[in-house]
Amino acid sequence: MRRVLFYLIPVVATLILIQFIRPEKNLGEPDKGTDFIQVSQMPDTLAGIILNSCYDCHSNHTRYPWYGSVAPFSWILNRHIAEGKAHLNFSSWGVMDKAQQITQLDQICEESSSGSMPLKSYLLIHRSSRLSDQYIRAICEWAESESLKILTEK
Ligand code: HEC
């Protein structure tokens, strides 16, 4: 018993102590007209797919799971969100210039088709966020037509 406590006490103490390091939650103010889905006026079904599969890491609005406030999970989530948003933030789509939008649309299709996105570790828990072949096709077809639209509009 003593031996068990010898190991257990430091572990429990560490788990308690790390709870005091709390990354700020990614829960921004509502986007003022710059959100990807609002700006792009895509079909509702496609908007639903992107919202459900991409927005947790690529927008200012994460839907946190129950363990989202528990370290060290909260740190891992926070890192994914910070890195995801650094590459692509759907909440500020409207402030990107046309060239950036076209590049991102191409990347969105590519990352989805290659199976790189959503991240594998995320899919383990968010099974409903997995992209079916049909969803990937819908994303890519729409992304291509949206790129053309952006290119041709003044
Ligand atoms: C669990 C968090 C998470 C989810 C969910 C997620 N991403 Fe990402 N995404 C990241 C991270 C982290 C990076 C940066 C590191 C990397 O490329 O692996 C990234 C990078 C990207 C990039 C930039 C790639 C580059 O090379 O610049 C694109 C485009 C992208 N994601 C699209 C998507 C799309 C589309 C979805 C939904 C189908 C999605 N992501 C879902 C975390 C996520």
Side-chain angles (χ1 to χ4, degrees):
M1 188 61 193
R2 271 207 151 155
R3 233 182 133 71
V4 173
L5 282 181
F6 180 79
Y7 290 108
L8 206 60
I9 290 172
V11 170
V12 172
T14 307
L15 281 176
I16 292 172
L17 275 178
I18 65 173
Q19 302 310 320
F20 288 98
I21 307 173
R22 304 187 90 102
E24 198 184 328
K25 287 243 166 102
N26 182 40
L27 298 168
E29 298 287 312
D31 310 316
K32 294 195 180 66
T34 56
D35 172 68
F36 179 56
I37 290 173
Q38 282 172 6
V39 173
S40 310
Q41 297 175 347
M42 62 188 71
D44 284 351
T45 42
L46 187 63
I49 294 166
I50 292 180
L51 202 59
N52 186 45
S53 297
C54 317
Y55 265 54
D56 280 343
C57 301
H58 290 289
S59 79
N60 296 337
H61 313 282
T62 301
R63 300 161 299 175
Y64 280 92
W66 64 266
Y67 54 84
S69 305
V70 183
F73 305 109
S74 51
W75 304 348
I76 299 169
L77 295 189
N78 187 52
R79 213 193 58 215
H80 283 162
I81 296 163
E83 277 183 26
K85 278 168 66 174
H87 282 79
L88 166 62
N89 186 348
F90 284 126
S91 295
S92 43
W93 186 261
V95 298
M96 291 182 204
D97 62 33
K98 286 182 175 193
Q100 285 173 316
Q101 289 177 342
I102 290 169
T103 310
Q104 291 290 5
L105 285 166
D106 186 52
Q107 292 274 311
I108 289 164
C109 167
E110 195 174 307
E111 296 290 318
S112 304
S113 314
S114 66
S116 315
M117 290 291 145
L119 292 182
K120 299 249 170 356
S121 56
Y122 176 81
L123 290 177
L124 285 177
I125 296 149
H126 300 81
R127 286 170 185 274
S128 73
S129 301
R130 186 177 298 277
L131 297 175
S132 66
D133 289 347
Q134 190 195 348
Y135 286 180
I136 294 170
R137 229 174 298 126
I139 290 173
C140 288
E141 275 170 18
W142 180 82
E144 202 172 311
S145 71
E146 183 70 8
S147 285
L148 276 176
K149 203 175 102 189
I150 294 171
L151 259 180
T152 50
E153 74 194 4
K154 287 202 196 85

